[in-house]
Amino acid sequence: MADQLGFQARHFSLNNPRGEGQDDVPNLLRRLASTLEEMGRIEIRDLVLHNDTDDDGDPWPFVTVYFDYVQEEEPNGNGYGQY
């Protein structure tokens, strides 16, 4: 049996505000891009666009982002190229 490697990822979901324009996917993607830029250095694991509806049956898409924060790795060795 192969060794199983696993990892944990953080996640969040984002949609447009309820009401007029809640189904505007291009606007949702612009909001997502802005949110990701504000988060700084992250590694995206997965993005999923979901098609959902509100209580009235109107379309209300949302995006779930699975990510991890990028951690700065310490350099190996003594800083002079020797390990």
Side-chain angles (χ1 to χ4, degrees):
M1 181 171 166
D3 291 335
Q4 294 183 2
L5 301 176
F7 66 91
Q8 294 182 355
R10 300 171 187 271
H11 71 278
F12 68 91
S13 294
L14 181 70
N15 59 353
N16 290 322
R18 184 179 183 136
E20 187 173 338
Q22 73 184 29
D23 61 343
D24 186 344
V25 173
N27 187 50
L28 174 59
L29 296 177
R30 284 189 288 274
R31 293 182 68 236
L32 176 60
S34 178
T35 299
L36 294 175
E37 287 176 342
E38 290 173 7
M39 292 179 72
R41 293 189 51 165
I42 61 172
E43 183 175 336
I44 303 295
R45 303 285 185 187
D46 199 7
L47 295 170
V48 182
L49 176 64
H50 305 270
N51 293 310
D52 203 357
T53 58
D54 64 12
D55 293 338
D56 298 325
D58 295 323
W60 198 4
F62 67 98
V63 176
T64 300
V65 178
Y66 298 90
F67 72 97
D68 200 2
Y69 290 104
V70 174
Q71 296 181 359
E72 298 295 328
E73 294 182 20
E74 295 185 23
N76 292 327
N78 59 14
Y80 295 100
Q82 298 179 11
Y83 297 96

